[in-house]
Amino acid sequence: MSSLSAVSRPALRHVLVHLVTPLLMCLGMGIAYLSAFHAPAPHRLPVAVVGQGPQAQALAQGLQDKAGDKLEVTTAGDADAARARLLDRELAAAYVPDADAPTLLVATANSETSASAAEKVFTQVAAQQGKPLAVQELTPMAAGDPTGQGLFFLLVALSIGSYGSVAVLGAAGAALAMRARALLGLAVALVVSLFGAALAGPVFHLVDHGLFGVWAMSWLYSAGIIAIGTALHTFLGRWTTLTMMALFVMLNFTSSGGIFQPELQNGFYGALHSFWNGAGFLEGARDHVYFGGRAGLGGHVAALFGWLAPGAALLVLAARTERRRARALAAEQPAEEEMEEAVGV
């Protein structure tokens, strides 16, 4: 029994150490998802009242006073101005007061949940006039993506394919030179992006036009993740998986705007949304597919390059580190051989 205990303790310790990673994943995912999604509430949700006269100004001011910091209420001179601001993704909705048929202008492709939150507000406003609220959609959705959230699930698929490949490139590919791993990673990112384009286009019809641009952004997004992960494996070893989960799942999906825009989340995730790579891909794809690139597409593509660039820099640093380690190991081997000869081994 004592010999069995002596043998099993190191094995048990080995298992327990390796269980730390999945347990931390569980804790991290729970904290990230629940803190991001458990209690969505408007925070300075941008909406507008259409009209130039004192009546429109009074309605806008009354809404602002009642809502406090939940809404950011402005006025738009006419319906055309309101439509332009919606298509520039400056507004979640614009209310057109009318004694007979009050109308709410929305662009669901910007965010279905934000449009729904605004619709709840203005349904109550129209009800006070004793009239039903008509909703006018400015961005008709693709046949396979009526809620506009299909692009978010495309983001999930691209992310899993990308960070899942890192484990293989880092571990099974460790015998390859870093340059070879980097080129292989670029090729893997291409395959991941082609899978994504096929699923988004001909398979599930999430995207009915602009598929080439979505594919190009998918490749950029995947290449950035794979470059960062492949390089980090040199420094972090088995902790790379946990780090990748934290960066590209826990913080990434929650801040992407796929479920809730920053106006429905707390400030932490709203801040991440402004520069994280998942938000760059998702908002860039939305801009490209539904808004004709007019609502900041260039900035979102720049964010994707902004993640790929440090990935490339980390690959260079990792290559130098591995060469230095190899030289140190080669220098140690003759010394060990001399010591073995000296003691007569």
Side-chain angles (χ1 to χ4, degrees), residues 89 217 273 279-281 283-285 287 295-305:
R89 304 185 72 185
M217 284 184 277
H273 182 84
F281 169 77
E283 301 298 3
D287 286 344
L297 175 60
H300 298 309
V301 173
L304 294 176
F305 276 109

Side-chain angles (χ1 to χ4, degrees), residues 239-311:
W239 296 107
T240 304
T241 300
L242 179 61
T243 303
M244 295 295 288
M245 284 282 289
L247 290 175
F248 302 115
V249 177
M250 298 174 194
L251 298 178
N252 192 24
F253 296 168
T254 51
S255 65
S256 67
I259 304 299
F260 300 116
Q261 287 282 61
E263 293 84 5
L264 296 180
Q265 293 185 288
N266 60 51
F268 174 73
Y269 294 102
L272 292 183
H273 182 84
S274 64
F275 68 91
W276 217 255
N277 63 337
F281 169 77
L282 183 58
E283 301 298 3
R286 284 171 170 167
D287 286 344
H288 173 65
V289 174
Y290 292 112
F291 297 93
R294 63 186 283 172
L297 175 60
H300 298 309
V301 173
L304 294 176
F305 276 109
W307 281 77
L308 180 59

Side-chain angles (χ1 to χ4, degrees), residues 19-110:
L19 279 173
V20 170
T21 296
L23 291 175
L24 287 177
M25 286 181 182
C26 174
L27 180 62
M29 289 286 285
I31 292 173
Y33 273 68
L34 292 175
S35 64
F37 300 143
H38 81 289
H43 176 71
R44 302 190 69 82
L45 184 70
V47 297
V49 174
V50 177
Q52 296 180 334
Q55 187 175 359
Q57 293 285 349
L59 177 57
Q61 188 60 54
L63 280 171
Q64 186 67 75
D65 293 341
K66 184 177 180 179
D69 63 0
K70 292 182 179 180
L71 299 179
E72 186 175 275
V73 187
T74 58
T75 57
D78 54 33
D80 289 339
R83 291 188 184 94
R85 290 175 65 186
L86 281 162
L87 294 178
D88 286 336
R89 304 185 72 185
E90 296 176 3
L91 298 174
Y95 179 68
V96 184
D98 187 280
D100 297 319
T103 303
L104 188 69
L105 307 177
V106 297
T108 301
N110 180 46

Side-chain angles (χ1 to χ4, degrees), residues 1-338:
M1 181 68 71
S2 60
S3 60
L4 178 61
S5 300
V7 172
S8 63
R9 281 184 190 133
L12 180 60
R13 187 181 303 112
H14 180 75
V15 172
L16 291 176
V17 168
H18 281 76
L19 279 173
V20 170
T21 296
L23 291 175
L24 287 177
M25 286 181 182
C26 174
L27 180 62
M29 289 286 285
I31 292 173
Y33 273 68
L34 292 175
S35 64
F37 300 143
H38 81 289
H43 176 71
R44 302 190 69 82
L45 184 70
V47 297
V49 174
V50 177
Q52 296 180 334
Q55 187 175 359
Q57 293 285 349
L59 177 57
Q61 188 60 54
L63 280 171
Q64 186 67 75
D65 293 341
K66 184 177 180 179
D69 63 0
K70 292 182 179 180
L71 299 179
E72 186 175 275
V73 187
T74 58
T75 57
D78 54 33
D80 289 339
R83 291 188 184 94
R85 290 175 65 186
L86 281 162
L87 294 178
D88 286 336
R89 304 185 72 185
E90 296 176 3
L91 298 174
Y95 179 68
V96 184
D98 187 280
D100 297 319
T103 303
L104 188 69
L105 307 177
V106 297
T108 301
N110 180 46
S111 172
E112 191 271 340
T113 51
S114 294
S116 295
E119 185 176 343
K120 289 180 181 178
V121 171
F122 287 103
T123 296
Q124 295 176 2
V125 174
Q128 291 175 359
Q129 301 175 2
K131 299 293 182 181
L133 179 68
V135 178
Q136 181 179 341
E137 174 61 65
L138 301 186
T139 52
M141 310 304 294
D145 189 18
T147 65
Q149 293 184 342
L151 289 174
F152 170 67
F153 295 110
L154 173 62
L155 167 70
V156 173
L158 294 172
S159 303
I160 292 174
S162 301
Y163 79 73
S165 301
V166 166
V168 177
L169 291 170
L176 299 174
M178 182 58 73
R179 178 178 297 180
R181 274 176 277 166
L183 292 174
L184 189 56
L186 195 61
V188 170
L190 173 60
V191 174
V192 168
S193 68
L194 289 173
F195 284 166
L199 293 172
V203 177
F204 293 111
H205 307 288
L206 307 177
V207 176
D208 55 11
H209 64 278
L211 186 59
F212 179 83
V214 173
W215 163 75
M217 284 184 277
S218 299
W219 193 3
L220 264 180
Y221 173 73
S222 179
I225 292 176
I226 292 176
I228 291 171
T230 302
L232 286 180
H233 195 275
T234 299
F235 305 103
L236 301 180
R238 67 184 182 87
W239 296 107
T240 304
T241 300
L242 179 61
T243 303
M244 295 295 288
M245 284 282 289
L247 290 175
F248 302 115
V249 177
M250 298 174 194
L251 298 178
N252 192 24
F253 296 168
T254 51
S255 65
S256 67
I259 304 299
F260 300 116
Q261 287 282 61
E263 293 84 5
L264 296 180
Q265 293 185 288
N266 60 51
F268 174 73
Y269 294 102
L272 292 183
H273 182 84
S274 64
F275 68 91
W276 217 255
N277 63 337
F281 169 77
L282 183 58
E283 301 298 3
R286 284 171 170 167
D287 286 344
H288 173 65
V289 174
Y290 292 112
F291 297 93
R294 63 186 283 172
L297 175 60
H300 298 309
V301 173
L304 294 176
F305 276 109
W307 281 77
L308 180 59
L314 281 171
L315 286 171
V316 173
L317 181 60
R320 292 177 178 176
T321 300
E322 290 183 357
R323 287 195 297 267
R324 186 170 62 252
R325 289 174 180 173
R327 288 194 297 268
L329 183 61
E332 289 176 0
Q333 288 178 345
E336 291 177 357
E337 292 173 358
E338 291 177 3

